[in-house]
Amino acid sequence: MKIAHIGPPLARRGGPAGYLLQLSAVAERHAKDATHTLTFPRPEAPAPRRPPGVAARVRSALRPIKHALVGSPVFYRPSEAELRRPGGAIDALLTAAMQTTCTDAAHSIDAALAENVDVFFAHDPGVAERLLELRRPGQQVWSMMHAPMPVGLDLAWAWGIPEWDWKDIAALPDTNRWMRWELGICSAVDRLITPCPEAAAEIARADPRFAALNFDYVLTGAAGPARSFPHETQAQLRRHWHLPAGVPVGLFIGAPLPYRGLDVLLDAVAGLPQSVPGIIAVAGPSRERLRGHARVRALGSVRDVADLLHAVDFVVNVNRFNLFDLSTIEAAEAGRPMLLHATGGNLRFQQLGLGCVMLPGLDTATVTSGLHDLFTMTEARRAELGDASRRCYERHLTPEHLWRGHTALYDRASATFSRA
């Protein structure tokens, strides 16, 4: 079969761009002996790097002083009435977001149409909808779900009302309508793919209507970026981020989206007894967005993620919803112990043998207890868990495993495929 993966330009980040970058790299290595013909979006064009001007440097230097004097900037927030109004702010947000995803994928859509492929493999529901409209007779549309919840809930929660309970957001008229829309797209495509049954169950937890869908499962595999300082010791690596030596360091890495549970983690850190050694490094959110605490080190955006993983003692994932995170795979590749919320794809990581301590819930006391366990654990026990994570990676989570999973899917599909 001729299969075109449709999505945004390839880039090392989460979501479709990062997933397709991993898959395209391993597919290229197997191109000579591949049974099926695959195409991918083009790589993201590097942004030109220009040194900041004098005015920009002055603004950057003054920003902490300004925040101390007048507080953080106030961003637009829709009113509750606007959020509850059918056809209101959430509908406008989702409409714009779907248009943007189609614009980002336009080049790969046009290229696949010109090639007259057998299968359009979409990586976003808005793109899947567009392809269902454009396909010719006999062509199939497949769709992969990359979020641990329906896109309507995901975007409404992250943008408009991060402090609301997700069930209240799901009940809003526009959120509910967009979840029904996505359910219709998922029902219309020829195949629907997600990493594992636990990930599919997570989507159905957000909206039980998704439990009726039929999924194919392809477990994600990945390789982290090359290390910039591969020969440095952990103590040397810590100096790059001003992390203390001699105490355990846990790491939270990722965007501060409400489903990621960073708020609970920060509350839990504050509840640790002073007698417990250790700090939490937070990579991703801007330093200004984190409330200060003696146990928290705000790192901001981090470029050398692979080195940072080797600088810390364990990694924390307190997601309220969880699919099957690339960041967890990269932490397993680095041989890190992990503190994981026992939900969604994290349950599959545990089943695969990842070296982890599981949190049965996300109340503050439970997360504090988990942090206490990792901080007070002997170095030998943390090393055992780290070794288990690395073995799990080598046995189940490499790019080669990702390739074999995709190849098996293509083979199953081709056995019954016909353009007639």
Side-chain angles (χ1 to χ4, degrees), residues 216-303:
D216 285 285
Y217 301 112
V218 178
L219 202 64
T220 307
R227 292 182 59 184
S228 298
F229 312 104
H231 303 298
E232 291 192 0
T233 65
Q234 186 181 73
Q236 290 171 322
L237 289 171
R238 288 190 178 188
R239 295 191 192 109
H240 292 283
W241 294 280
H242 307 289
L243 298 173
V247 298
V249 177
L251 174 66
F252 173 97
I253 186 166
L257 298 171
Y259 83 89
R260 295 299 307 273
L262 178 58
D263 56 324
V264 178
L265 177 60
L266 296 178
D267 288 341
V269 169
L272 286 165
Q274 291 186 352
S275 59
V276 175
I279 68 165
I280 290 291
V282 178
S286 64
R287 293 178 175 86
E288 294 84 1
R289 294 191 64 171
L290 293 182
R291 60 181 183 266
H293 189 277
R295 287 190 186 271
V296 176
R297 298 290 187 275
L299 306 182
S301 178
V302 172
R303 181 176 301 233

Side-chain angles (χ1 to χ4, degrees), residues 74 87 114 136 141 183 185 211 272 281 294 334 378 380 420:
V74 177
R136 301 183 183 99
V141 176
L183 183 66
I185 299 300
L272 286 165
T378 65

Side-chain angles (χ1 to χ4, degrees), residues 65 109 117 131 238 255 286 314 377 399:
I65 300 173
I109 292 174
V117 300
L131 294 169
R238 288 190 178 188
S286 64
F314 63 94
M377 189 177 287

Side-chain angles (χ1 to χ4, degrees), residues 31-221:
K32 291 182 179 179
D33 57 4
T35 305
H36 309 282
T37 302
L38 305 182
T39 59
F40 293 91
R42 59 187 176 186
E44 184 176 72
R49 299 187 64 180
R50 299 186 181 91
V54 174
R57 293 198 298 270
V58 170
R59 285 195 299 270
S60 178
L62 292 178
R63 189 174 296 120
I65 300 173
K66 179 181 177 182
H67 286 173
L69 292 174
V70 301
S72 298
V74 177
F75 297 100
Y76 167 73
R77 292 289 299 277
S79 67
E80 182 173 337
E82 178 65 15
L83 293 167
R84 294 189 181 280
R85 181 175 67 85
I90 292 175
D91 183 66
L93 166 71
L94 268 295
T95 299
M98 294 306 100
Q99 290 172 347
T100 298
T101 59
C102 288
T103 299
D104 290 343
H107 182 271
S108 59
I109 292 174
D110 292 342
L113 289 170
E115 288 291 326
N116 194 29
V117 300
D118 298 314
V119 175
F120 298 99
F121 198 141
H123 291 262
D124 181 272
V127 172
E129 180 185 49
R130 179 71 57 85
L131 294 169
L132 287 168
E133 297 169 352
L134 295 174
R135 66 174 172 177
R136 301 183 183 99
Q139 291 180 310
Q140 292 190 359
V141 176
W142 301 357
S143 184
M144 171 164 264
M145 299 188 77
H146 284 274
M149 67 194 83
V151 66
L153 173 59
D154 189 12
L155 294 182
W157 193 8
W159 169 71
I161 32 181
E163 70 279 4
W164 283 28
D165 184 276
W166 68 267
K167 294 178 182 178
D168 295 329
I169 302 169
L172 292 171
D174 283 348
T175 308
N176 190 274
R177 186 177 76 80
W178 276 94
M179 290 196 293
R180 290 198 312 272
W181 166 84
E182 185 174 3
L183 183 66
I185 299 300
C186 291
S187 301
V189 298
D190 297 280
R191 286 183 183 268
L192 187 63
I193 301 98
T194 200
C196 56
E198 295 81 3
E202 198 78 329
I203 298 165
R205 178 165 69 93
D207 186 336
R209 293 171 293 192
F210 283 78
L213 297 174
N214 294 316
F215 285 90
D216 285 285
Y217 301 112
V218 178
L219 202 64
T220 307

